[in-house]
Amino acid sequence: MAHYDYVEKAVKVSRREFIGIVGVAGAILWTGAYVATDLVQDRTKYIKLRAQGIYNDDVKAKVRQSHNNQAVTDVYKKFAQNPLSNLAEELFHTKYVDRTKLV
């Protein structure tokens, strides 16, 4: 059987050095967590401001319903035949994605 003469080097760290190292590591981790939460808060604030802006624009609009909008009816007449045609469904209708958890 093989015999190995390996001696592990002893790491000598005083209590003061250990506390300093742990303190620096904690500060780095805390700073990273602070930056991450700050980014999430900014994103949430942006989403709320954007939604409020869209609602404000909607209140100011003269035509607030798509079926009364002349531009939309012209597109259907010239291009997509009628509102429930296959082409209209493919081009204009989107799938709903629940985004309430983002806010």
Side-chain angles (χ1 to χ4, degrees):
M1 181 169 243
H3 178 68
Y4 296 102
D5 291 324
Y6 176 75
V7 178
E8 188 173 325
K9 293 180 183 177
V11 178
K12 298 210 179 207
V13 178
S14 68
R15 286 183 184 180
R16 183 176 296 226
E17 291 170 337
F18 177 76
I19 290 172
I21 292 168
V22 170
V24 169
I28 291 170
L29 290 173
W30 180 84
T31 304
Y34 178 76
V35 169
T37 56
D38 195 36
L39 290 173
V40 170
Q41 288 175 349
D42 286 348
R43 179 174 168 265
T44 303
K45 188 167 102 176
Y46 172 78
I47 291 170
K48 289 180 181 179
L49 288 173
R50 178 69 181 129
Q52 187 61 44
I54 290 171
Y55 290 134
N56 289 342
D57 290 346
D58 189 41
V59 168
K60 295 175 188 175
K62 292 179 182 176
V63 179
R64 295 178 62 187
Q65 299 165 328
S66 61
H67 65 277
N68 292 332
N69 189 333
Q70 188 60 41
V72 173
T73 55
D74 287 345
V75 168
Y76 277 117
K77 285 179 187 175
K78 294 177 184 176
F79 186 66
Q81 293 91 29
N82 58 27
L84 294 176
S85 68
N86 288 335
L87 182 60
E89 287 285 329
E90 184 179 334
L91 294 176
F92 304 135
H93 296 268
T94 60
K95 295 179 181 174
Y96 176 75
V97 176
D98 184 15
R99 292 186 174 94
T100 57
K101 293 179 182 176
L102 296 177
V103 178

